[in-house]
Amino acid sequence: MAIREIRVVPDPVLRTPCDPIKEITPAVRHLVQDLLDTVDDPGRAGLSANQIGVNLRAFSYNIDGKVGYVLNPVLEETSGEQYGDEGCLSVPGLWYKTRRADYARVRGIDLDGNPVVLEGHGIMGRMLQHETDHLDGHVYLDRLEKEERREAMRYMRNHRQ
């Protein structure tokens, strides 16, 4: 299908909670293929639909060579804690230490309406939380301490293309 352009902060689509997918249509199948094509690039761990301008609850992932997707994901459970570097395709060039749960579990469906459960620790847990945040209208900068968040937003304003 297509590798799509990534929306960048301050694009308002990134701050808009995404709508649930009510029906698996050809457009939803096309969206999933575009998400998979766009995330299938070295250094990309996850990609939410709103990052390519589509306001639907779906994301794709690319962790440890495994590429997949989930529709209507809901973050069900988190535990533990990790504090490490996090970046975002919608916040290019910036990496900040970000506090997340170490373990996360997401439940959703696939294109056939079958239940999907994704879970993991470390980078997988971080990605699950990061992408569901996107679908809820948040970017990882929201999780930073106040001064770091100000610094990041100042950088984004000054380096906008």
Side-chain angles (χ1 to χ4, degrees), residues 48 57 59 73-83 86 98-106 118-140 143:
S48 64
R57 285 194 75 81
F59 72 76
V74 175
L75 185 62
E76 277 192 332
E77 182 181 336
T78 60
S79 64
E81 185 177 292
Q82 59 175 303
Y83 184 66
E86 190 163 332
T98 307
R99 196 168 312 283
R100 296 276 188 183
D102 181 55
Y103 168 82
R105 181 173 65 225
V106 165
L118 298 173
E119 62 185 335
H121 295 270
I123 188 72
M124 183 68 166
R126 181 176 295 277
M127 179 278 299
L128 292 170
Q129 295 165 81
H130 183 109
E131 299 311 324
T132 54
D133 271 0
H134 271 303
L135 298 176
D136 292 335
H138 303 289
V139 295
Y140 89 101
R143 294 188 172 275

Side-chain angles (χ1 to χ4, degrees), residues 12-113:
V13 73
L14 298 169
R15 294 301 191 172
T16 304
C18 293
D19 296 328
I21 295 169
K22 295 182 183 348
E23 182 182 355
I24 308 299
T25 63
V28 169
R29 291 181 186 283
H30 188 255
L31 168 64
V32 168
Q33 190 58 58
D34 287 354
L35 285 168
L36 292 170
D37 291 347
T38 306
V39 81
D40 192 16
D41 199 23
R44 293 185 172 180
L47 180 70
S48 64
N50 57 347
Q51 287 181 279
I52 59 172
V54 179
N55 192 30
L56 290 175
R57 285 194 75 81
F59 72 76
S60 59
Y61 61 91
N62 183 355
I63 302 286
D64 297 328
K66 294 180 184 164
V67 177
Y69 71 93
V70 62
L71 308 178
N72 293 334
V74 175
L75 185 62
E76 277 192 332
E77 182 181 336
T78 60
S79 64
E81 185 177 292
Q82 59 175 303
Y83 184 66
D85 288 339
E86 190 163 332
C88 180
L89 297 170
S90 293
V91 187
L94 293 181
W95 289 81
Y96 283 95
K97 290 206 176 294
T98 307
R99 196 168 312 283
R100 296 276 188 183
D102 181 55
Y103 168 82
R105 181 173 65 225
V106 165
R107 184 175 305 276
I109 61 170
D110 66 15
L111 285 170
D112 296 318

